[in-house]
Amino acid sequence: IRPFLDAPTPPAPGPLVLALVDLDRNRVDQVGEKMANLGEILNRIHLRTPAGFAVTAEGYRRFLKHNDLQSEIDRRIQATDVERFDALHGLSASLQQLIIRSEVPEDLRQAVQEQYRRLEEEEGGPLTLAVRSSALGEDIAGTSFAGQYGSVLNVSGENLLTAYKEVVASKYSLQAMT
């Protein structure tokens, strides 16, 4: 029970976005298991891997802090009778809309757009991307929530930040919360 009672020490601030070519197992605390493993496949095993980048945990924290989302999320959760399915369903919908309607801070917006432009240059033209979650702790022993968060496929550059917010909001989908 100790790991659940002790508040984790927040990591030192780092980059908001990291390119896949810069990822490996040493970055798991910044980008989650899925992205760290993709970095391993690309950079250590040298298997063909689609080009990409990750919004880091720091980028996610920056998004939450910019909109003061965590305190509002906590308030709404505390005010909800989570034993009632209809209340839980309403909570899920309200939290997802809160996140989707929130503004991406300018520094995160610029970092994502810069990575997208870099990919376009490398690939020789406009791209569509898959936007997926890679939550910290998603694959640790004793947990089973991998695959609960949303993915958005065929995302154009102009819709990238909207898709990012949809994936972040999926943390509060009904299936993920239950």
Side-chain angles (χ1 to χ4, degrees):
I1 194 168
R2 178 59 48 205
F4 296 102
L5 295 177
D6 292 335
T9 305
L16 302 177
V17 179
L18 287 168
L20 187 57
V21 297
D22 297 326
L23 301 183
D24 60 23
R25 297 291 307 147
N26 296 319
R27 301 276 192 157
V28 71
D29 63 329
Q30 292 177 303
V31 298
E33 291 279 336
K34 208 177 296 174
M35 288 304 294
N37 287 334
L38 279 174
E40 287 286 314
I41 291 168
L42 174 66
N43 298 311
R44 297 197 192 260
I45 303 173
H46 305 289
L47 293 176
R48 186 178 162 149
T49 307
F53 60 91
V55 174
T56 64
E58 181 63 24
Y60 168 77
R61 282 190 287 275
R62 178 80 182 88
F63 173 64
L64 291 182
K65 184 176 181 180
H66 178 76
N67 295 284
D68 195 25
L69 288 173
Q70 195 59 62
S71 61
E72 181 60 17
I73 289 168
D74 293 345
R75 186 194 68 73
R76 290 183 188 194
I77 290 172
Q78 291 171 359
T80 301
D81 180 0
V82 296
E83 298 298 319
R84 291 185 31 225
F85 184 74
D86 62 328
L88 194 57
H89 190 274
L91 173 65
S92 170
S94 78
L95 292 177
Q96 289 183 73
Q97 285 304 307
L98 173 69
I99 292 166
I100 289 168
R101 291 182 180 144
S102 294
E103 176 184 70
V104 174
E106 188 58 31
D107 52 353
L108 179 56
R109 175 184 303 281
Q110 288 177 1
V112 167
Q113 290 172 340
E114 180 181 315
Q115 284 294 321
Y116 180 78
R117 281 191 298 275
R118 182 188 59 78
L119 287 178
E120 278 187 319
E121 287 174 12
E122 289 174 5
E123 300 297 318
L127 302 171
T128 57
L129 304 178
V131 181
R132 306 198 54 204
S133 71
S134 183
L136 302 184
E138 191 173 10
D139 298 323
I140 61 174
T143 63
S144 179
F145 62 91
Q148 295 298 310
Y149 300 157
S151 295
V152 186
L153 305 177
N154 296 315
V155 178
S156 64
E158 55 270 6
N159 294 314
L160 201 49
L161 293 168
T162 300
Y164 170 71
K165 292 189 294 184
E166 289 174 12
V167 171
V168 170
S170 72
K171 177 179 180 181
Y172 298 98
S173 67
L174 193 55
Q175 68 270 19
M177 289 196 323
T178 55

